[in-house]
Amino acid sequence: MTNSSFETLDLNLLKVFVVLAQELNTRRTAERMNVSQPAISRSLQKLREHFADELFVRAQHGLIATPKAEQLSLSLPSILAELANVVDHHNDFDPAKLEGVLKVAMHPMLLASVAKRLFVALQQHAPDLRLQVATWGADTCELIQRGQIDFGLCLLPVEGSKELVQRRLWRQPIYVYARDAHPIGDDIVTPQDFESYATALIHVPGWSAARTEAEKFLAAHGVEVTIGFRSELPGSIMDVLRVSDLVYPSVTYYPPEDIPGIRQLQLSEEFKGLALKYDTGYVFHYRNRQNPLYLWLQEILVEKCRDEIFSIN
């Protein structure tokens, strides 16, 4: 592109181009950018005229990028992200001025210990910012790339696009839960106990299709569990524990006051041979890696949402 060509280009059109390249659909692009579909079509026509190329051609299920559009897609997103960071850094970041909705996807095992604390922290530091939490699912990585989810909290590593940044926040161990009157007399659970009593396990679509972290941990110690109940909802697991002799191994820490009728069991010495730590991660799109908001959110997550029993090492 020549200098004169650049000088006549509306930079807002490049924003439209980037989203179109991600969505390959004018309707979804319009929804993401909060404009009408005809407005996106008009912007696309201007882009075609400017670059003297069709850029995106219609196909049966949306649009297909031309070679020219694919070439532009390799560099434009990072260039625009850096430009946004340069502009943002000229402004003093003030969480108290934040508005709108912060959309977060969380692994179900983190909901109980993190969601409430994040809400309280945001109410304190960014009272006009609303929190919307979704369960981490099979399409979460794609939604983060599209900008429909701001960031995710899950167990690392995440298999997804190289466009996603994965930062470790803290490490946490395996916990075991059972009802107060469970036949396991003391608060120590052994490999034999897991063989004697069926387990309840969390199921995360797109995440634990094969085995949960707890299952893999127990298998590493030679324990093959019998699954008595599996659910996507941690609350339903607690309800089942209260009326059964199931045990629930999990990487979730539930504060005792939040789970009446349930007690936490300690793993016996037989389990100490392997590390009991799992990484909790902060996942977001690389375009936000220098964004002051995302850097601040990382600090909030570590300082306000990490239990004192978790390790940052």
Side-chain angles (χ1 to χ4, degrees):
M1 188 188 304
T2 65
N3 289 336
S4 60
S5 178
F6 178 78
E7 290 172 359
T8 62
L9 177 62
D10 181 354
L11 293 182
N12 287 316
L13 293 177
L14 296 183
K15 297 179 184 178
V16 174
F17 175 89
V18 169
V19 180
L20 266 173
Q22 294 170 350
E23 297 292 347
L24 295 176
N25 184 288
T26 55
R27 178 184 57 80
R28 290 200 299 266
T29 298
E31 290 174 353
R32 275 186 58 180
M33 302 194 73
N34 197 29
V35 298
S36 67
Q37 190 169 348
I40 296 299
S41 297
R42 289 193 295 271
S43 295
L44 176 56
Q45 183 57 40
K46 292 178 181 178
L47 285 164
R48 286 168 170 165
E49 293 172 358
H50 184 86
F51 289 103
D53 188 271
E54 282 296 299
L55 297 178
F56 302 97
V57 296
R58 295 196 177 279
Q60 184 176 0
H61 299 293
L63 301 173
I64 297 177
T66 66
K68 177 68 172 180
E70 290 179 347
Q71 181 184 21
L72 290 169
S73 297
L74 294 176
S75 55
L76 274 181
S78 59
I79 292 173
L80 288 180
E82 291 300 328
L83 179 60
N85 288 330
V86 169
V87 173
D88 289 340
H89 285 168
H90 283 286
N91 301 318
D92 292 331
F93 175 74
D94 183 0
K97 296 179 180 179
L98 293 173
E99 297 178 338
V101 179
L102 182 67
K103 299 178 181 179
V104 184
M106 291 190 191
H107 191 295
M109 291 185 177
L110 299 172
L111 284 169
S113 58
V114 176
K116 180 172 68 175
R117 296 182 182 199
L118 179 58
F119 173 79
V120 171
L122 292 178
Q123 284 289 294
Q124 179 182 357
H125 298 284
D128 293 326
L129 187 63
R130 290 174 290 155
L131 178 63
Q132 180 175 314
V133 177
T135 302
W136 185 286
D139 61 345
T140 296
C141 288
E142 181 180 349
L143 294 176
I144 293 175
Q145 291 179 69
R146 291 181 180 178
Q148 293 174 275
I149 293 290
D150 294 307
F151 70 88
L153 293 175
C154 61
L155 302 182
L156 298 181
V158 174
E159 294 184 4
S161 169
K162 294 181 180 179
E163 296 179 6
L164 299 182
V165 177
Q166 303 181 38
R167 291 183 178 170
R168 182 165 66 87
L169 296 175
W170 59 72
R171 313 198 83 183
Q172 57 195 78
I174 289 286
Y175 304 95
V176 182
Y177 300 92
R179 64 187 176 96
D180 285 342
H182 195 282
I184 296 177
D186 51 26
D187 289 333
I188 303 296
V189 60
T190 67
Q192 292 73 30
D193 290 324
F194 281 109
E195 294 173 352
S196 300
Y197 300 101
T199 60
L201 293 172
I202 196 78
H203 171 68
V204 185
W207 183 273
S208 53
R211 282 186 166 187
T212 65
E213 295 302 318
E215 284 178 278
K216 288 185 281 188
F217 168 77
L218 292 170
H221 288 80
V223 178
E224 292 296 332
V225 299
T226 299
I227 301 173
F229 182 73
R230 190 190 291 269
S231 174
E232 298 178 21
L233 305 175
S236 66
I237 291 179
M238 291 301 172
D239 289 338
V240 168
L241 290 186
R242 293 186 180 96
V243 297
S244 71
D245 287 338
L246 297 183
V247 291
Y248 173 37
S250 171
V251 296
T252 299
Y253 172 73
Y254 295 93
E257 63 271 18
D258 291 347
I259 50 172
I262 303 294
R263 59 190 168 112
Q264 184 186 124
L265 307 177
Q266 302 298 317
L267 292 171
S268 66
E269 289 298 322
E270 291 97 321
F271 289 108
K272 303 302 181 182
L274 295 178
L276 309 182
K277 303 290 185 179
Y278 292 88
D279 291 334
T280 294
Y282 175 43
V283 181
F284 55 92
H285 198 277
Y286 79 95
R287 63 176 170 264
N288 295 312
R289 65 191 183 281
Q290 297 298 328
N291 188 315
L293 169 62
Y294 284 76
L295 297 175
W296 174 74
L297 285 170
Q298 182 173 341
E299 294 178 3
I300 286 293
L301 288 166
V302 172
E303 294 176 5
K304 304 294 185 180
C305 301
R306 179 178 65 91
D307 282 284
E308 62 276 4
I309 57 176
F310 295 164
S311 168
I312 58 175
N313 299 316

